[in-house]
Amino acid sequence: MAADDSIKAAPGREPFPSKVLHGLIASGNQVVDNPNNPFFQSVIKTDTAREILAVEMEGAGAADAVSQMNESGKSISFLMIRGISDLISEDDRLIDAHHDERDLWKKYAADSAAAFTVNLIQKGLPTSPLVQQKNSPDYRSDCVFSLSHQPGSGKKKDLKSILNPISFDLTIAENHGKFTGREWLIERIDEWVNDPNGRRVYWILGRPGIGKTTLAIWYNNICDLSAFYLFQYDNTETINPQRFVRTLAYELSTRIPAYKDLLEKIDLDSKKDLDGPALLNELIIIPFYQLGNLEDQIVILFDGLDEIFLKNGMENIPYEMVQTLLALYHRTESMPFRFIFSSRDNQAVQTELQLDAVESQFIDPDSIQNRDDIREYLRKELGNITGEVIPEKKLEDISAKSEGFFIYASFFCKAVRDKIFSLDEPSFPTGLSAMYLEYFEKQFHDLKEYKRQIIPAIRIICAAREPLPMEILAGVTGLDEEELSDLEMLVTSLFPIDANTISPFHSTIVEWISDKTKAGRYFVSLEKGHVSLSEYGFDQIMSGEIHEYFLRNLPFHLLASRDEKKLSELMVSQEFFVRSYESDFQALQRLWVKLEEETSLRMESVYDVTSHETVNFSKAFLMNVGTLLWRMGRLSVAYDWFVLLEKAAKIEDDNDWIGASLGNQALILQARGDHDGAMKHHMENRTYLSQTWQCWWYNKIAW
């Protein structure tokens, strides 16, 4: 291959224009260089022999390997580019005599294949004319077979709208003004950042409520970090691997112009079905490899790393998220990537990640520096609230009662501002648990009223998987506008309201109030909260109303409620399934993995077509269910759904969907080893595809 990727002249010939043929290439597990070969003879006796343009080997082995992977539940597709060159002769002696010429043709074929591959990568894959068929209301651009996305125009892309990054603006705003002290720790982080020979990871460890998130937000504000990410206990989207990668990519693009330019050239829509590690490769690893040597280091801060592991317990770790994070660490080893982590001091988290090159910093609640920081914070906040200078003895007393936890000091100041506590009291509760208990005793002294009105609301707020919209809180509890206003006044210190959503001000309040031994008579059952949310959300969806909150979270509330009957009904709800698929296919796949691990539900039973043949499903739903089943290795059931799709498409004479369904059936048959059946479906599929192409060319010429 020449330096400009062009192909040199063929052996013994002048250069001539390329000729493109379209047809079948046979592939076997042995060399065929003589038409009298018994193996070849057995092939040409089949009905499809007249379609064969060439014969090669090795492709069959690759196809078998992919088929085995698909059967095991992996979703893999591939494009094979082969250089086919050998002469075919009935005389073996003639073949031997042309040995040198054969070698030249092999090199020519290899050069041709290599040049074609380079140009394909550089210029992008051609777009199928099927993308022109988007007028159909049932059109789906992400089905497994045939329907592809149209390349974007040369216009600048709005990366924020395409990547849809998670916004941390609210959390940043809530914590930004609270920061005080920590100069000693910031100096140590700065030393690590400025040390070119320092370890790749600086890991800040501390117990819940020690002030790690506030520190992380402040450090990101004062330093020019390359990216910043919060794993949040009240936002499950932050441990979604696809949202994680897309948010990280957007963050990096706002700070590294050269990377942004590369990101804008990527067809981001075509990557939406990739899992976390694969998406990381496409959006971050490969572009940064293309950037080459970077002069400046790339420092990324991740706060709340323990939320990945502790949200659902160590026995239910979201391994795709973990693998994505590990892939980011290991695949950037040759690049100037460095990381700041902050998390609880949990040995299981560190053991699970098994990172090397780590420098750790534990924030000791009993250290002099930490106590000084809390005292300085109290001096500043209480001084602003009261307008007075707070006596040192009072500051020392409150600081000692905090037991070294910033969350105690923060909540104490909040309670003073709300006039729940007074600085004139002779003593204050010791420790966070005692602080919460005393707060509840002062605020909810009427236990009957607490159990009647407050508990039903708090259990729902605490069971919510993300900040709960107030309209859902009102719907579940049945509270009217006046009653909601009264509730807000009573709980706002513990459960602040922002942007018409309500959530716990810190994870420690949920941990305390759901623990009978700590909360006592103020105990709240999270399980009852899940039941209330699941019943309300299920009724809403079955009546045709799908709130975004329930689209993301209803299956998990039903799972926590152990309601397998409603879970089964939900997973075949047409509107819920299609919207979930369109919103986040990977999340739907992870959900089914969780359901099969933790319940008796099985995809083969829930999606048994014999139970659904009489239902009038949309073609999009049929395609999406079949695709999900296929990618999760349920080939037989997936095949049945594609057959249903074929029937529905033929009734409407829709060639696009007929071709897609036949193509998918063929691929499944091939994966199961039924090559004759696969070939039959492929041939029928070609008929429908050719009709679509002819229609497209006719329209194009007419235009």
Side-chain angles (χ1 to χ4, degrees):
M1 186 167 59
D4 62 354
D5 296 334
S6 62
I7 304 170
K8 296 178 180 178
R13 295 186 183 179
E14 294 297 319
F16 64 93
S18 300
K19 183 178 181 181
V20 178
L21 301 176
H22 179 266
L24 300 179
I25 297 176
S27 182
N29 58 2
Q30 56 184 279
V31 175
V32 176
D33 54 10
N34 188 319
N36 294 320
N37 184 301
F39 172 68
F40 186 69
Q41 285 294 315
S42 67
V43 172
I44 63 175
K45 290 178 182 178
T46 64
D47 292 337
T48 57
R50 65 180 181 278
E51 301 286 341
I52 296 176
L53 300 178
V55 180
E56 66 94 58
M57 62 180 296
E58 298 176 1
D64 284 342
V66 171
S67 296
Q68 292 175 19
M69 294 294 285
N70 285 333
E71 288 173 347
S72 68
K74 301 288 185 180
S75 176
I76 298 175
S77 56
F78 70 102
L79 171 66
M80 179 168 291
I81 301 172
R82 298 282 285 129
I84 303 174
S85 63
D86 273 340
L87 299 171
I88 289 186
S89 172
E90 297 183 9
D91 189 340
D92 291 338
R93 291 173 299 173
L94 187 59
I95 294 174
D96 293 336
H98 287 76
H99 188 273
D100 292 340
E101 186 178 353
R102 291 178 70 186
D103 285 347
L104 288 173
W105 275 105
K106 285 180 179 178
K107 186 178 185 306
Y108 175 75
D111 287 352
S112 301
F116 176 79
T117 304
V118 169
N119 278 275
L120 183 67
I121 293 172
Q122 289 176 339
K123 298 177 181 178
L125 295 174
T127 304
S128 163
L130 288 169
V131 300
Q132 306 294 332
Q133 308 297 323
K134 292 187 177 180
N135 293 330
S136 167
D138 282 331
Y139 176 78
R140 290 286 297 137
S141 61
D142 57 350
C143 59
V144 176
F145 188 86
S146 295
L147 303 180
S148 60
H149 289 276
Q150 194 166 15
S153 65
K155 297 179 181 178
K156 285 286 185 180
K157 295 181 179 178
D158 180 3
L159 289 178
K160 188 171 186 178
S161 64
I162 297 173
L163 291 170
N164 188 25
I166 298 171
S167 173
F168 302 116
D169 292 347
L170 176 59
T171 306
I172 291 172
E174 289 175 344
N175 287 271
H176 178 65
K178 297 179 181 179
F179 189 82
T180 302
R182 297 295 195 228
E183 287 87 356
W184 58 277
L185 184 50
I186 290 174
E187 287 178 7
R188 294 181 187 179
I189 302 173
D190 284 343
E191 289 175 5
W192 172 83
V193 170
N194 296 321
D195 180 4
N197 299 315
R199 299 188 175 186
R200 291 191 69 209
V201 175
Y202 192 88
W203 199 327
I204 302 168
L205 300 164
R207 291 166 63 186
I210 201 73
K212 301 181 295 296
T213 297
T214 304
L215 169 67
I217 289 171
W218 178 254
Y219 193 78
N220 178 60
N221 180 60
I222 64 174
C223 298
D224 187 23
L225 297 179
S226 305
F228 173 72
Y229 193 89
L230 295 173
F231 293 102
Q232 298 173 303
Y233 76 95
D234 60 350
N235 187 354
T236 55
E237 282 294 285
T238 59
I239 58 173
N240 178 322
Q242 285 75 32
R243 295 295 302 279
F244 167 76
V245 173
R246 288 173 177 270
T247 302
L248 197 58
Y250 178 74
E251 284 272 316
L252 291 168
S253 74
T254 62
R255 293 166 172 82
I256 306 174
Y259 169 67
K260 180 182 179 183
D261 292 341
L262 286 177
L263 201 58
E264 287 177 338
K265 296 175 182 177
I266 298 174
D267 181 7
L268 297 171
D269 282 343
S270 68
K271 313 297 182 187
K272 67 179 183 178
D273 282 346
L274 297 178
D275 63 14
L279 188 64
L280 179 78
N281 262 359
E282 295 290 332
L283 300 193
I284 296 177
I285 305 302
I286 293 174
F288 273 101
Y289 265 119
Q290 293 173 337
L291 287 177
N293 295 327
L294 297 171
E295 294 182 2
D296 298 324
Q297 64 180 347
I298 299 165
V299 180
I300 304 174
L301 194 158
F302 296 117
D303 175 65
L305 204 63
D306 48 287
E307 294 300 334
I308 301 175
F309 302 89
L310 304 179
K311 179 73 178 176
N312 300 306
M314 291 299 292
E315 68 279 5
N316 294 310
I317 294 172
Y319 280 105
E320 187 183 329
M321 182 64 245
V322 176
Q323 292 305 313
T324 304
L325 187 64
L326 286 173
L328 175 65
Y329 176 78
H330 291 296
R331 294 174 189 174
T332 57
E333 282 185 313
S334 62
M335 307 179 202
F337 275 73
R338 302 179 77 192
F339 307 96
I340 302 173
F341 293 160
S342 76
S343 73
R344 299 187 186 195
D345 183 27
N346 187 300
Q347 187 60 45
V349 174
Q350 300 168 63
T351 302
E352 193 68 36
L353 287 177
Q354 287 289 316
L355 300 182
D356 52 10
V358 174
E359 181 176 339
S360 299
Q361 173 64 59
F362 175 66
I363 303 177
D364 184 355
D366 295 323
S367 68
I368 295 174
Q369 299 106 314
N370 187 61
R371 297 282 184 166
D372 288 345
D373 290 340
I374 290 178
R375 191 163 50 251
E376 188 59 34
Y377 171 82
L378 290 167
R379 187 195 319 278
K380 172 184 170 184
E381 289 297 308
L382 292 175
N384 290 336
I385 293 169
T386 63
E388 301 174 358
V389 176
I390 310 300
E392 285 298 318
K393 186 176 184 308
K394 182 78 68 176
L395 293 174
E396 184 59 40
D397 183 28
I398 301 170
S399 175
K401 296 294 178 62
S402 75
E403 297 183 333
F405 290 95
F406 253 96
I407 192 65
Y408 179 105
S410 175
F411 186 72
F412 180 86
C413 293
K414 185 190 290 283
V416 170
R417 182 184 296 110
D418 295 340
K419 299 185 173 17
I420 307 298
F421 289 162
S422 169
L423 290 176
D424 296 330
E425 295 181 30
S427 64
F428 305 106
T430 301
L432 193 58
S433 183
M435 164 74 78
Y436 287 148
L437 182 60
E438 184 164 330
Y439 176 92
F440 270 73
E441 288 173 343
K442 288 176 177 290
Q443 189 74 337
F444 308 116
H445 47 78
D446 186 340
L447 282 177
K448 287 185 178 179
E449 184 65 14
Y450 174 77
K451 291 182 179 180
R452 185 189 70 82
Q453 182 175 345
I454 306 301
I455 280 185
I458 290 181
R459 68 164 66 116
I460 293 166
I461 299 168
C462 291
R465 290 169 52 82
E466 59 187 72
L468 187 69
M470 291 299 290
E471 61 184 290
I472 293 180
L473 178 62
V476 178
T477 59
L479 297 176
D480 60 28
E481 188 175 354
E482 289 183 355
E483 291 170 326
L484 269 180
S485 180
D486 291 341
L487 176 70
E488 290 174 20
M489 292 178 62
L490 288 170
V491 304
T492 188
S493 293
L494 292 167
F495 305 98
I497 298 170
D498 189 270
N500 210 30
T501 63
I502 187 167
S503 59
F505 91 102
H506 195 267
S507 61
T508 53
I509 184 61
V510 179
E511 294 170 3
W512 176 82
I513 204 170
S514 60
D515 186 333
K516 264 185 186 177
T517 60
K518 293 179 179 178
R521 55 186 176 275
Y522 299 104
F523 166 75
V524 164
S525 169
L526 295 186
E527 184 175 342
K528 288 184 178 180
H530 286 297
V531 170
S532 297
L533 283 166
S534 62
E535 289 178 348
Y536 178 80
F538 185 81
D539 290 342
Q540 290 285 300
I541 285 178
M542 290 304 154
S543 65
E545 299 179 24
I546 303 184
H547 193 286
E548 287 295 323
Y549 175 86
F550 288 120
L551 186 67
R552 292 188 294 269
N553 298 300
L554 180 57
F556 297 96
H557 290 308
L558 288 168
L559 183 62
S561 305
R562 304 181 182 88
D563 194 336
E564 294 189 10
K565 183 177 181 297
K566 286 181 179 176
L567 265 172
S568 179
E569 292 178 39
L570 180 69
M571 300 313 290
V572 291
S573 167
Q574 186 166 194
E575 187 174 356
F576 174 81
F577 188 97
V578 171
R579 285 190 57 182
S580 296
Y581 187 101
E582 291 174 347
S583 175
D584 192 340
F585 168 81
Q586 295 289 343
L588 195 59
Q589 189 167 328
R590 290 193 298 273
L591 171 61
W592 260 112
V593 171
K594 188 175 184 67
L595 292 180
E596 293 197 328
E597 286 178 349
E598 300 182 23
T599 73
S600 63
L601 296 180
R602 296 296 177 266
M603 295 186 78
E604 293 87 346
S605 300
V606 173
Y607 298 115
D608 180 5
V609 293
T610 59
S611 305
H612 306 292
E613 284 182 316
T614 59
V615 182
N616 185 24
F617 290 128
S618 71
K619 295 189 291 293
F621 177 73
L622 295 170
M623 173 62 81
N624 293 347
V625 173
T627 301
L628 176 70
L629 290 163
W630 181 9
R631 292 185 174 179
M632 296 193 71
R634 281 28 175 224
L635 300 186
S636 296
V637 192
Y639 183 86
D640 293 339
W641 281 87
F642 289 132
V643 170
L644 283 182
L645 173 60
E646 179 191 352
K647 292 178 181 178
K650 284 183 175 178
I651 291 173
E652 300 179 18
D653 197 24
D654 190 331
N655 287 348
D656 291 3
W657 288 96
I658 295 172
S661 63
L662 287 170
N664 288 336
Q665 291 175 56
L667 292 173
I668 290 175
L669 290 174
Q670 182 179 329
R672 290 161 59 180
D674 184 358
H675 300 296
D676 290 338
M679 183 59 68
K680 178 183 176 183
H681 281 74
H682 273 307
M683 299 304 295
E684 187 178 356
N685 179 33
R686 286 183 61 196
T687 302
Y688 286 101
L689 287 178
S690 64
Q691 292 174 11
T692 302
W693 276 81
Q694 289 169 8
C695 176
W696 179 74
W697 278 111
Y698 175 80
N699 291 336
K700 184 174 181 181
I701 293 169
W703 180 83

